[in-house]
Amino acid sequence: MNIEATAEELVRQALLLPDVARSAAAGPEVQVESSSGESVLVRRRDDMAGAGLFEHWEVIDAWITDVPRRPRGFAKVADGRWLHLNDKRQFVEFFYAVGRQLDSQDLARLLTRYQGADQGVDLPQNTLIELTDLRGALEPETAASITGFTELRLEPADDGGLLTFCTFFIVRDTPDRVFRVGLNRWEARWNRDGDFQLRVVPLARGLESPRYRPGSGLEAGVQERRNGPPES
């Protein structure tokens, strides 16, 4: 199935826009239009090691917001189902369909990108596989000294497993409007009986970032990303 046909199938089956009339691809992005004039822009993502296990797509929302929005992700699994990765129940279905075959890093990135909203994770997050992923946003020594901080760790068991990792996000605090860093700890636990539990624990808020501290020369030039979540 070519990219336009797959995009049209996504729009019909997952986004429930049945009267698709035409589509046009530009690289990984496809503009799909209905006969009534509605238009949806979707993008195929092939940047994960497990991409061959499923079709991975995102809807690109057209509206602009002051607060970055988390993307809407969809996966087509081997039996033909389209599953909404932001939906907790459907993410669990996805996990038991293909997730256990994914590399632990890819699973962590998918959880970071689409899940956690029911536990208060509303801002886009950056997955921390190892301390170097902080990329200057926070001193590694500062993160490592915080109780509960961990690099990505997978603990397999005969009947399931436990994946633990951390994420960071950058937010402009009030009233001084300085960019600061927050850290969360994620724990995903599953078993062979179909039980999948996700727990997100806030570790730290308002941490000073060497990249954005006043006087660094960077804070004035920061361009706030609108509707553009970080690439986890």
Side-chain angles (χ1 to χ4, degrees):
M1 186 179 293
N2 64 32
I3 187 171
E4 289 96 342
T6 304
E8 291 177 8
E9 182 183 280
L10 163 64
V11 171
R12 287 192 186 98
Q13 296 186 20
L15 302 182
L16 304 180
L17 186 64
D19 58 334
V20 170
R22 65 189 66 85
S23 61
E29 296 183 358
V30 182
Q31 189 83 39
V32 181
E33 296 181 2
S34 71
S35 57
S36 59
E38 293 182 79
S39 179
V40 180
L41 183 62
V42 294
R43 179 179 64 176
R44 183 170 65 189
R45 296 195 57 150
D46 294 326
D47 54 345
M48 291 192 174
L53 299 171
F54 62 98
E55 285 273 358
H56 183 193
W57 288 72
E58 288 183 346
V59 176
I60 302 175
D61 291 316
W63 55 83
I64 301 297
T65 63
D66 290 331
V67 178
R69 295 172 55 88
R70 303 183 80 190
R72 289 190 286 159
F74 294 86
K76 182 183 179 181
V77 295
D79 62 8
R81 286 177 297 159
W82 282 98
L83 298 172
H84 187 190
L85 299 177
N86 301 73
D87 180 271
K88 184 177 180 180
R89 179 185 60 80
Q90 293 188 44
F91 190 96
V92 173
E93 290 183 43
F94 162 78
F95 174 78
Y96 281 100
V98 302
R100 287 181 293 178
Q101 302 174 63
L102 285 175
D103 179 271
S104 58
Q105 296 184 17
D106 285 340
L107 176 57
R109 292 187 178 104
L110 287 167
L111 286 166
T112 298
R113 196 159 179 82
Y114 304 118
Q115 286 294 301
D118 62 328
Q119 301 191 46
V121 180
D122 51 358
L123 292 174
Q125 308 277 302
N126 298 271
T127 313
L128 284 170
I129 306 301
E130 52 190 23
L131 278 172
T132 55
D133 293 330
L134 286 165
R135 299 189 292 271
L138 188 67
E139 295 291 355
E141 297 80 6
T142 301
S145 68
I146 295 172
T147 301
F149 179 84
T150 181
E151 295 182 327
L152 184 141
R153 183 175 70 249
L154 175 63
E155 301 174 37
D158 291 340
D159 65 341
L162 171 64
L163 178 68
T164 307
F165 62 96
C166 287
T167 60
F168 76 94
F169 60 94
I170 298 171
V171 63
R172 178 170 271 175
D173 276 354
T174 55
D176 56 11
R177 303 293 290 165
V178 173
F179 284 94
R180 292 189 172 88
V181 178
L183 287 173
N184 290 320
R185 176 187 172 103
W186 299 58
E187 299 172 357
R189 188 185 302 271
W190 61 90
N191 62 35
R192 64 177 59 175
D193 296 325
D195 184 43
F196 185 97
Q197 298 294 328
L198 178 65
R199 179 171 176 253
V200 183
V201 180
L203 292 184
R205 297 291 185 267
L207 299 173
E208 184 177 278
S209 170
R211 180 184 296 166
Y212 302 121
R213 70 166 59 99
S216 68
L218 291 177
E219 79 283 356
V222 170
Q223 175 67 42
E224 290 187 77
R225 301 179 67 184
R226 296 191 170 190
N227 204 21
E231 297 298 315
S232 303

